[in-house]
Amino acid sequence: MAQSELIQYSLFSDLDFYLFGEGKHYQIYEKLGAHPVEFEGVTGTYFALWAPKAVAISVVGDFNDWKLDHHPMKRNQMGIWELFIPSVSIGEKYKFAIKNHQQHSIFKTDPYGYQQELRPATASIVTDLSYDWGDRDWLNHRHHSNPHTQPISVYEVHLGSWLHQSWETPPENGVAVSVPHKPGARFLTYRELADKLIPYVKKMGYTHIELLPITEHPFDGSWGYQVVGYFAPTSRYGTPQDFMYFVDQCHQNNIGVILDWVPGHFPKDEHGLALFDGTHLYEYADPRMGEHKGWGTLVFNYSRHEVRNFLISSAVFWFDKYHIDGIRVDAVASMLYLDYEREPGQWMTNPYGGRENLDAVEFLRQLNHAIFNYYPGVLSIAEESTTWEGVSRPVDAGGLGFNFKWNMGWMNDTLRVFQVNSSDRSNVYNTITFSIWYAFTENFMLALSHDEVVHGKGHLFQKIPGDHPHKLANLRLLFAYMFTHPGKKTLFMGMELGQTREWNVNGDLDWWLLEQDPHQKLQQLVQYLNYLYQNEPALYSDDFTNDGFEWIDCHDHARGLISYLRKDKYSGETIITVCNFKPNAYHNYWVGVRHPGTYIQLLNTDSQVYGGNGLENPLKIQTRQWNSHPWPYALEVNVPPVSCCAFKLGIMSY
């Protein structure tokens, strides 16, 4: 068959053109990009690329010695260029040579490419995404689930710096086993991570793993947040099938997978999306809208249907082809506000004179509507740092449509308290209690993330004044306060170890700390908090209304104590929590309760089991009459210094 005949092959129908033009072809990745096919008995690869302003485009690769004139593409009415090349098969490297109006050709990576070379090489690779999945039961259960009423405890991970091959295995029972570093061995692969990270996360009791962006990126120092390949898992850790195996194994071990996803900006690398067809195709043309000068990146043009389609289809793609369970959308505030990190005169108002990016608002609503329409039960989490209303409210209720929002206010207020010397915390007592004023305005996820342990901020351990034992006591209090406070949970890797230095993307976690008994016991506390959290519905079933929380006492400034109830919306069962933010012990402290009986201590962060000093309460505590409205009864408990204790009426079932 002559090449001229093969060029006429197309995967596009009129409906495809219409949906793409409307920005609603959410499986466009099945059409654009590179697809191994058979056409009239001839096997090869079909290539398609959207580049409406290009003068000419050729497919180049090893198969034609990267010559510009060997495989020219043909443009259709939608500005999509197509070509079928016989004998080009899976594994072939390729790029698109795009000639602009200045007759200059630039070699571009495929925006819809499923795989790329390992950096610094940048070619796309013809890829087959077939895989024999074993997670049907997980997906069926997810489809019928309601994340709002489930326990969600997320372990945030940067795959390249969680564990290097210089460690044989994550430490077991506090003993770190080191082996000589293998020459040239840098990262664990997706399959090796499945063998090592998944058992660790399962042992620690987390429900989900959140991965810092694994979409392909050229610069390690961006941590994955400057993306070039929105449809390609980074080749740093292996192949697409290797990543599928990782997700599949997570699901078979009852662990969900969340990806950090970056639709807010993209890098200026020449092989990427910038000036893609010689024009501002993916980015706003005006730099007052189209450039993040502080980040050195470009902003997607959310007003273009095809650009919105590109981004939404990327999100759908990861749910579809890789079975992920959620996305955490990075830097949402940078998308919503036209003046984000811009000085006066460096930004443009919207048509109504405001600072809101109305195109981005519409994009986010369309994104979340599409995700939940196709994949009920998944997570869409916004990292949004302002007071924009309705971030986690449904689109049909006027919201942005996310089902969770990171609670940046809680994180900032809480860390501000812990940075104050514990004896002086009466002065910041109102900062401790302030979070409940806004805790139910959104569906919040409490996050102590990677952003809090880099850029000279110091790790959590470093933020806290005092000596080593005092710092660890504060970390135990911080984590227990977090797990008993309304909201789902996210902890960055290493926090469970009491990491004593900033996270370094080029290094390992400080696993050697587990050779020290206090750090091992902190890890055991985080493990127990996860299991307590998942076994006590009062701690998760009603995170987002006042019905799930009630203050017992939020006025004890002098002692630095707070006490509150968490309530199970189904059984009515409650858990009493007492947090002491000061270094004083309080004996025979009365805590108001409504129901008489015998109470059991569920948690004491000062227990010697977790590295504390051991001021214990009796295993069972009998209430006494108090007649103090609204608390007719009281528990008389011992409150250790810098600690969190929790109690429950009745008998533990686990």
Side-chain angles (χ1 to χ4, degrees):
M1 184 174 292
Q3 180 178 333
S4 59
E5 295 176 290
L6 293 173
I7 290 174
Q8 304 305 311
Y9 178 79
S10 177
L11 289 178
F12 280 86
S13 67
D14 289 343
L15 179 60
D16 292 321
F17 290 138
Y18 172 77
L19 291 174
F20 184 56
E22 291 290 305
K24 295 180 179 179
H25 197 319
Y26 300 139
Q27 286 83 32
I28 192 64
Y29 49 82
E30 302 279 15
K31 308 290 181 173
L32 291 171
H35 302 280
V37 295
E38 181 178 319
F39 176 52
E40 296 186 0
V42 179
T43 60
T45 298
Y46 166 79
F47 297 90
L49 181 71
W50 176 61
K53 299 298 183 181
V55 172
I57 302 179
S58 296
V59 184
V60 295
D62 289 339
F63 49 85
N64 62 16
D65 296 323
W66 300 89
K67 298 293 180 61
L68 297 181
D69 56 350
H70 277 36
H71 290 100
M73 304 180 79
K74 182 178 180 181
R75 185 184 188 279
N76 64 33
Q77 70 269 24
M78 287 291 295
I80 293 171
W81 301 72
E82 300 174 277
L83 179 64
F84 174 81
I85 306 179
S87 301
V88 171
S89 58
I90 294 168
E92 294 274 12
K93 292 181 289 186
Y94 70 97
K95 282 190 177 182
F96 296 110
I98 302 177
K99 182 180 291 186
N100 61 25
H101 283 283
Q102 288 75 39
Q103 303 301 306
H104 177 62
S105 291
I106 299 177
F107 286 57
K108 291 286 190 178
T109 300
D110 185 354
Y112 289 86
Y114 292 163
Q115 187 178 5
Q116 291 185 18
E117 290 183 284
L118 179 63
R119 51 87 178 100
T122 57
S124 298
I125 301 173
V126 178
T127 304
D128 172 31
L129 294 183
S130 61
Y131 180 82
D132 185 14
W133 289 90
D135 63 348
R136 178 177 297 178
D137 289 346
W138 170 273
L139 296 181
N140 288 339
H141 180 267
R142 187 187 73 187
H143 182 86
H144 299 288
S145 68
N146 177 6
H148 289 160
T149 60
Q150 295 176 337
I152 297 177
S153 178
V154 180
Y155 189 57
E156 187 189 28
V157 178
H158 177 264
L159 290 180
S161 58
W162 180 74
L163 186 76
H164 288 172
Q165 291 184 359
S166 56
W167 294 103
E168 184 177 89
T169 181
E172 288 289 338
N173 301 320
V175 180
V177 181
S178 181
V179 297
H181 185 71
K182 302 173 185 177
R186 181 68 170 80
F187 299 126
L188 296 177
T189 66
Y190 293 120
R191 290 180 182 267
E192 290 169 329
L193 285 159
D195 293 339
K196 297 180 179 181
L197 175 58
I198 293 173
Y200 179 78
V201 170
K202 187 174 183 178
K203 170 189 169 184
M204 290 298 297
Y206 293 98
T207 64
H208 291 72
I209 298 172
E210 178 185 329
L211 304 179
L212 269 64
I214 55 92
T215 37
E216 193 61 84
H217 52 282
F219 177 44
D220 287 11
S222 76
W223 314 334
Y225 288 98
Q226 294 189 11
V227 179
V228 168
Y230 278 81
F231 295 81
T234 179
S235 54
R236 288 166 175 80
Y237 316 118
T239 67
Q241 280 74 19
D242 292 337
F243 183 59
M244 292 174 183
Y245 175 83
F246 175 84
V247 176
D248 198 11
Q249 290 302 305
C250 283
H251 288 171
Q252 292 184 43
N253 284 276
N254 295 315
I255 296 169
V257 179
I258 301 167
L259 297 189
D260 275 16
W261 186 67
V262 191
H265 63 122
F266 60 92
K268 298 179 180 179
D269 298 66
E270 186 177 69
H271 68 280
L273 298 176
L275 293 171
F276 190 78
D277 61 356
T279 69
H280 298 281
L281 184 65
Y282 284 91
E283 68 270 27
Y284 289 107
D286 193 314
R288 292 175 295 174
M289 293 184 67
E291 187 172 1
H292 279 303
K293 293 188 180 295
W295 298 347
T297 56
L298 301 174
V299 181
F300 283 104
N301 183 350
Y302 306 108
S303 68
R304 287 198 87 144
H305 291 180
E306 299 90 345
V307 173
R308 293 204 305 271
N309 203 142
F310 168 79
L311 289 170
I312 295 172
S313 65
S314 167
V316 170
F317 169 83
W318 292 98
F319 289 104
D320 176 15
K321 300 299 185 181
Y322 289 93
H323 293 198
I324 68 164
D325 304 285
I327 56 173
R328 192 219 63 151
V329 181
D330 181 64
V332 171
S334 75
M335 303 166 64
L336 293 175
Y337 297 99
L338 295 165
D339 62 345
Y340 184 85
E341 293 191 358
R342 292 184 174 92
E343 299 296 326
Q346 296 180 349
W347 61 281
M348 301 170 59
T349 64
N350 63 37
Y352 304 100
R355 56 195 284 256
E356 301 81 10
N357 188 334
L358 303 179
D359 298 329
V361 172
E362 180 56 32
F363 159 70
L364 292 170
R365 289 172 172 165
Q366 185 180 346
L367 165 73
N368 286 312
H369 181 270
I371 289 173
F372 293 122
N373 182 56
Y374 285 108
Y375 302 102
V378 301
L379 313 181
S380 181
I381 307 163
E383 184 210 13
E384 202 286 307
S385 55
T386 74
T387 56
W388 187 283
E389 292 187 9
V391 171
S392 58
R393 296 292 177 260
V395 171
D396 57 12
L400 294 183
F402 294 93
N403 55 357
F404 295 105
K405 173 183 172 176
W406 269 12
N407 194 335
M408 311 295 280
W410 174 87
M411 177 273 297
N412 285 315
D413 289 343
T414 301
L415 294 184
R416 191 176 301 120
V417 169
F418 278 87
Q419 288 172 313
V420 173
N421 191 296
S422 59
S423 60
D424 297 326
R425 287 180 182 160
S426 292
N427 299 324
V428 292
Y429 187 86
N430 290 338
T431 305
I432 300 170
T433 60
F434 181 61
S435 64
I436 298 301
W437 284 97
Y438 56 83
F440 311 116
T441 58
E442 298 277 2
N443 300 328
F444 279 124
M445 178 172 284
L446 310 184
L448 294 173
S449 75
H450 66 279
D451 282 330
E452 307 317 312
V453 295
V454 290
H455 298 319
K457 296 177 182 179
H459 221 287
L460 298 183
F461 180 93
Q462 296 169 290
K463 298 177 192 293
I464 298 168
D467 61 16
H468 197 106
H470 190 69
K471 289 173 180 284
L472 291 178
N474 273 274
L475 287 179
R476 294 193 297 270
L477 166 59
L478 170 60
F479 296 149
Y481 171 56
M482 177 183 187
F483 273 81
T484 56
H485 189 286
K488 309 307 180 186
K489 326 297 177 187
T490 295
L491 277 177
F492 184 56
M493 64 180 194
M495 291 180 177
E496 78 279 12
L497 312 179
Q499 184 108 359
T500 57
R501 58 180 178 173
E502 279 198 343
W503 169 53
N504 178 6
V505 70
N506 297 311
D508 271 341
L509 297 184
D510 287 345
W511 294 106
W512 55 268
L513 286 169
L514 295 183
E515 298 171 4
Q516 303 175 20
D517 188 63
H519 289 270
Q520 181 188 344
K521 288 181 173 178
L522 176 67
Q523 184 195 46
Q524 290 173 358
L525 173 65
V526 175
Q527 180 185 42
Y528 176 68
L529 288 172
N530 271 315
Y531 284 101
L532 177 68
Y533 171 59
Q534 293 178 53
N535 281 279
E536 293 293 346
L539 295 177
Y540 64 78
S541 68
D542 193 355
D543 274 318
F544 309 124
T545 76
N546 281 300
D547 295 336
F549 176 91
E550 184 178 2
W551 283 117
I552 298 173
D553 192 346
C554 60
H555 301 292
D556 202 343
H557 294 73
R559 292 187 181 92
L561 293 172
I562 60 172
S563 52
Y564 49 87
L565 289 176
R566 294 300 311 280
K567 306 176 186 179
D568 177 13
K569 68 185 298 182
Y570 300 107
S571 70
E573 197 170 66
T574 62
I575 287 180
I576 299 156
T577 301
V578 182
C579 294
N580 181 3
F581 290 88
K582 297 188 73 172
N584 310 310
Y586 303 106
H587 295 269
N588 306 317
Y589 182 77
W590 286 22
V591 182
V593 294
R594 289 198 175 91
H595 304 290
T598 301
Y599 283 73
I600 294 169
Q601 180 174 270
L602 301 177
L603 172 67
N604 177 3
T605 63
D606 192 57
S607 170
Q608 291 182 356
V609 174
Y610 305 123
N613 294 316
L615 178 59
E616 302 283 354
N617 287 285
L619 181 61
K620 295 182 179 180
I621 307 164
Q622 195 69 31
T623 53
R624 61 183 298 168
Q625 200 80 21
W626 195 6
N627 296 323
S628 173
H629 181 77
W631 312 108
Y633 303 94
L635 294 181
E636 190 172 340
V637 299
N638 298 320
V639 183
V642 191
S643 69
C644 179
C645 298
F647 308 91
K648 175 184 175 182
L649 179 65
I651 300 173
M652 282 194 297
S653 59
Y654 54 94

